[in-house]
Amino acid sequence: MFEGRDLVIATKHNKEKVIAPILERELGVKCFVIPDIDTDELGTFTGEVERKEDPITTARNKCLLAMKLTNCDMAIASEGSFGPHPSIFFVHADDEFLLFMDKKNNLEIIVREISMETNFSGAMITSKTELTEFANKVNFPSHGLIVRKADTDFIEIEKGIKNWRKLAKVYTHFIRLYGSVYVETDMRAMHNPSRMRVIKSATVKLATKIKSLCPDCKTPGFGITNAKQGLPCQLCNLPTRSTLSHIYSCQKCSHSKEEKYPYNKHCEDPTYCDICNP
């Protein structure tokens, strides 16, 4: 279905470096990018352009934009968000969606990868000592930084800072001009190796899902669409909130199947039981 076809990667942040090798190897496609595509018009991490849609819609719009510019019928795009982990609220997470679109076969396949492997952070800095401490904490200079007057100020922004000399120069400039400086991690993929690794993991997951065929109609993308709670407690045998089964569904023929004990666990530790450990 995909062998030898062109696939446009909708990115301006070098994500093709991790996406293309995996999809070319696993699907036999020929990946390419558009040098002048501006995905920033759909939203930026630094807030100059507000992302008006949810991550999946934004990734879909990136695909449609790339298809329109190239007249290619197959595209892929990613969209990331950063903030508190959805279930471990006291740590930051990289929440990546990867969307594959094939207009020829009317397919849209989506995967999500949530990782705590992120340096996402930002702080008001008042001294060069604080600047050095913050930079070291977020893995600078291998990971880029952004400097501006304040968290919500968009008048002047310096992005993609990746060496100490430039960082010191920009810091001094902002302090002299504005009397304050806000430093944050640059979360664009080409300046953030940690994020690039998460996108790579998501691409591996996507390739696996695309190659998973519906048992009935053989359509690609037969994957998990729901999860059922209810794994029994080891002590009281009552249902817990832990996952009992995964539901797999086909987007074409609606065939579905339930797979119990997806993590090879047939019971849950009483620590996670609302009855035994309320």
Side-chain angles (χ1 to χ4, degrees):
M1 186 177 286
F2 310 115
E3 185 78 32
R5 292 174 60 195
D6 290 334
L7 170 65
V8 59
I9 303 175
T11 182
K12 64 177 290 185
H13 297 151
N14 296 344
K15 296 173 188 175
E16 71 277 4
K17 290 183 177 180
V18 294
I19 294 175
I22 295 169
L23 296 187
E24 288 181 345
R25 180 181 70 244
E26 298 297 328
L27 304 181
V29 296
K30 295 181 288 186
C31 295
F32 71 100
V33 294
I34 317 164
D36 56 349
I37 190 171
D38 187 12
T39 54
D40 281 351
E41 68 182 50
L42 300 174
T44 59
F45 288 121
T46 41
E48 309 102 300
V49 180
E50 181 186 358
R51 188 177 72 186
K52 297 180 180 179
E53 306 286 355
D54 61 86
I56 292 177
T57 302
T58 302
R60 183 179 297 117
N61 287 338
K62 286 181 181 180
C63 286
L64 293 173
L65 175 62
M67 287 173 161
K68 181 179 179 181
L69 291 172
T70 61
N71 201 30
C72 183
D73 60 8
M74 200 160 55
I76 187 171
S78 81
E79 184 67 15
S81 301
F82 300 87
H85 191 282
S87 57
I88 311 171
F89 304 115
F90 52 88
V91 297
H92 284 140
D94 177 359
D95 191 356
E96 295 284 346
F97 285 91
L98 203 56
L99 188 146
F100 169 83
M101 185 181 292
D102 178 2
K103 277 189 174 181
K104 180 181 177 181
N105 294 292
N106 195 27
L107 284 175
E108 183 178 280
I109 300 172
I110 303 167
V111 295
R112 184 183 190 184
E113 183 79 0
I114 302 175
S115 174
M116 291 184 288
E117 186 193 347
T118 179
N119 69 331
F120 175 68
S121 190
M124 287 298 299
I125 302 296
T126 58
S127 70
K128 287 190 175 181
T129 300
E130 288 183 357
L131 180 66
T132 301
E133 290 175 352
F134 178 83
N136 286 329
K137 184 184 74 172
V138 297
N139 301 321
F140 181 82
S142 66
H143 292 61
L145 291 176
I146 294 172
V147 175
R148 49 182 164 175
K149 178 184 175 183
D151 183 17
T152 56
D153 192 287
F154 309 125
I155 294 175
E156 185 179 358
I157 301 176
E158 286 284 344
K159 300 182 181 182
I161 302 169
K162 297 193 74 174
N163 67 73
W164 287 101
R165 185 176 179 181
K166 176 70 178 292
L167 180 61
K169 182 178 178 181
V170 172
Y171 167 82
T172 301
H173 167 77
F174 273 77
I175 287 292
R176 286 177 178 170
L177 198 61
Y178 304 114
S180 64
V181 61
Y182 183 80
V183 184
E184 63 187 306
T185 48
D186 194 331
M187 303 313 298
R188 293 175 298 169
M190 73 280 206
H191 294 301
N192 200 293
S194 292
R195 184 180 177 212
M196 199 71 93
R197 286 192 290 271
V198 178
I199 294 171
K200 183 178 181 179
S201 295
T203 307
V204 171
K205 184 183 288 187
L206 178 69
T208 301
K209 187 174 182 180
I210 292 172
K211 292 169 71 175
S212 177
L213 306 182
C214 171
D216 272 14
C217 70
K218 308 305 179 186
T219 297
F222 189 71
I224 299 168
T225 54
N226 200 3
K228 285 186 178 180
Q229 296 180 351
L231 193 66
C233 171
Q234 187 178 21
L235 185 62
C236 71
N237 206 40
L238 290 173
T240 68
R241 300 186 192 182
S242 299
T243 301
L244 172 66
S245 64
H246 282 159
I247 308 300
Y248 290 75
S249 301
C250 174
Q251 61 176 294
K252 284 285 188 180
C253 72
S254 299
H255 173 77
S256 65
K257 75 170 184 178
E258 182 177 6
E259 184 180 283
K260 284 193 172 184
Y261 315 118
Y263 304 115
N264 295 318
K265 289 177 65 176
H266 289 257
C267 56
E268 185 55 280
D269 189 292
T271 305
Y272 304 103
C273 175
D274 292 340
I275 303 302
C276 297
N277 188 26

